[in-house]
């Protein structure tokens, strides 16, 4: 199953210390997750993840590596404390999922609060067959505008941070409005 | 009973495992770019958690089929939330990488312990 492959990619990310390999593995990880989103019926999310996660962010990482060098040092301290923190947090999260309803059950409460309304009525109200698009662009239009503001602010931040060198070598940034 | 639980919660548990891998990279590795990669892994696993919740067994993607009334669609709302989150995620990633590039210019390294050593030295002398 795809999830198991994803777990393997995650572990490889942890072990490898050449950062170029890490970035490539992160791209593979993104692409695998896009496949997983397709399997779970989230086609819009899948193509956004494939374009943004596997495409643009890989380009950004490679750009940063070109400027920063690509070999990671061996971690100096013992990993016991982080490992402990991670295990405790993971244990708590797994404990938390015990109360969650099973995967894919149509009777889950999450599917019966407002989702029915969007599925039943959005075509009469908006006349767009893709429910995700009509919610994103119409019902939650203000939120999407706020999101583009965030992307704009990030682009401005990157430009300010790199202002000194930007004249010589422009970087691609803030192009991620695939949604 | 426990096999049922394993089957119905397998998605959530693998997602939590990935989340913890990302978290571990974030807090145990000193290299700033590796930290940003860890943050991305964490973030993608949160996306998968949300999309898992939106899946309905036997459902189709939430694109309405004209003229059909008896179709089971997956829940579109998590998809909308995650689309927004992906875009905001790439924005934070790009700012984080830009910060790493600036730190490299100012300190000549992006390893956390070396930066701390340089900081300690300048505080001691200055």
């Amino acid at each position: 199953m795809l999830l198991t492959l994803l777990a393997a990619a995650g572990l490889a990310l942890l072990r490898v210390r050449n950062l170029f390999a890490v970035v490539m593995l992160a791209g593979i990880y993104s692409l695998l997750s896009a496949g997983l989103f397709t399997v779970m019926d989230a086609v819009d999310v899948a193509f956004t993840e494939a374009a943004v996660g596997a495409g643009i962010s890989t380009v950004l990482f490679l750009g940063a590596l070109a400027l920063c060098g690509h070999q990671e040092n061996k971690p100096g301290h013992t990993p016991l404390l982080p490992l402990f923190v991670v295990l405790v947090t993971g244990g708590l999260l797994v404990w938390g999922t015990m109360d969650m309803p099973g995967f894919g059950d149509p009777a889950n409460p999450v599917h019966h609060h407002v989702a029915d309304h969007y599925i039943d009525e959005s075509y009469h109200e908006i006349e767009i067959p893709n429910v995700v698009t009509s919610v994103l662009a119409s019902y939650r239009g203000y939120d999407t505008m706020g999101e583009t503001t965030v992307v704009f602010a990030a682009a401005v931040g990157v430009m300010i941070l790199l202002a000194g060198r930007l004249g010589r070598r422009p970087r691609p940034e803030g192009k991620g409005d695939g949604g | 009973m426990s096999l049922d639980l394993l089957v119905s919660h397998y998605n959530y548990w693998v997602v939590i495992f990935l989340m913890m891998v990302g978290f571990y990279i974030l807090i145990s590795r000193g290299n700033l770019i590796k930290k940003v990669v860890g943050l991305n892994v964490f973030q993608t696993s949160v996306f998968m958690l949300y999309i898992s919740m939106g899946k309905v067994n036997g459902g189709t993607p939430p694109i309405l089929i004209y003229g059909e009334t008896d179709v089971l669609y997956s829940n579109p709302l998590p998809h909308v939330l995650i689309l927004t989150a992906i875009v905001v995620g790439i924005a934070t990633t790009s700012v984080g990488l830009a910060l790493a590039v600036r730190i490299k210019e100012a300190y000549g390294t992006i390893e956390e312990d070396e930066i701390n050593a340089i900081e300690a030295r300048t505080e001691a002398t200055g």
Side-chain angles (χ1 to χ4, degrees):
Chain A
M1 198 165 162
L2 275 171
L3 275 168
T4 316
L5 268 179
L6 268 172
L11 281 182
L13 272 177
L14 185 66
R15 304 297 308 172
V16 173
R17 292 222 316 282
N18 182 323
L19 289 174
F20 270 120
V22 166
V23 170
M24 288 304 138
L25 278 170
I28 291 172
Y29 178 84
S30 254
L31 203 62
L32 282 175
S33 69
L36 191 70
F37 292 147
T38 319
V39 172
M40 293 198 285
D41 292 345
V43 283
D44 307 75
V45 180
F47 70 66
T48 310
E49 175 70 29
V52 171
I56 294 175
S57 73
T58 307
V59 172
L60 287 175
F61 274 114
L62 287 178
L65 282 187
L67 299 172
C68 292
H70 63 273
Q71 196 60 40
E72 181 191 11
N73 284 0
K74 233 180 164 55
H77 51 85
T78 54
L80 283 181
L81 179 64
L83 200 61
F84 175 72
V85 171
V86 163
L87 285 179
V88 169
T89 319
L92 282 175
L93 284 172
V94 169
W95 183 57
T97 61
M98 291 301 175
D99 280 344
M100 281 174 69
F103 172 74
D105 186 354
N108 287 350
V110 64
H111 304 311
H112 295 287
H113 185 51
V114 288
D116 288 336
H117 173 84
Y118 289 120
I119 289 174
D120 294 338
E121 302 298 331
S122 70
Y123 191 73
H124 305 296
E125 291 175 2
I126 318 277
E127 300 197 338
I128 296 175
N130 186 339
V131 183
V132 174
T133 308
S134 61
V135 174
L136 188 78
S138 180
Y139 295 106
R140 275 172 27 108
Y142 278 114
D143 187 75
T144 304
M145 195 174 85
E147 166 199 339
T148 48
T149 314
V150 169
V151 174
F152 176 71
V156 171
V158 171
M159 279 185 222
I160 291 172
L161 281 169
L162 301 180
R165 62 185 315 142
L166 206 67
R168 299 192 306 275
R169 190 186 302 185
R171 263 162 46 99
E173 81 273 333
K175 282 192 283 186
D177 48 358
Chain B
M1 175 58 206
S2 77
L3 192 67
D4 274 0
L5 193 71
L6 178 71
V7 171
S8 69
H9 285 61
Y10 179 68
N11 255 47
Y12 303 141
W13 292 342
V14 176
V15 163
I16 287 173
F17 172 76
L18 289 172
M19 214 182 272
M20 289 305 111
V21 169
F23 189 34
Y24 182 74
I25 295 177
L26 187 65
I27 59 181
S28 74
R29 293 296 184 257
N31 186 294
L32 294 177
I33 290 186
K34 188 84 174 253
K35 276 179 191 288
V36 179
V37 172
L39 195 64
N40 264 354
V41 171
F42 190 105
Q43 181 175 286
T44 312
S45 68
V46 175
F47 301 161
M48 282 184 260
L49 181 69
Y50 269 68
I51 301 295
S52 303
M53 290 181 203
K55 169 73 176 155
V56 176
N57 281 340
T60 68
I63 298 172
L64 303 175
I65 300 171
Y66 187 72
E68 302 260 343
T69 48
D70 276 351
V71 189
L72 188 62
Y73 297 108
S74 287
N75 191 342
L77 294 182
H79 304 180
V80 178
L81 293 178
I82 295 314
L83 277 179
T84 308
I86 289 178
V87 174
V88 173
I90 189 74
T92 50
T93 303
S94 61
V95 174
L97 290 176
L99 278 172
V101 170
R102 276 296 290 139
I103 288 171
K104 170 79 174 175
E105 276 181 7
Y107 290 91
T109 174
I110 49 169
E111 296 287 341
E112 203 175 34
D113 42 357
E114 292 172 12
I115 294 170
N116 284 342
I118 294 173
E119 281 280 290
R121 225 175 303 143
T122 44
E123 262 176 40
T125 56

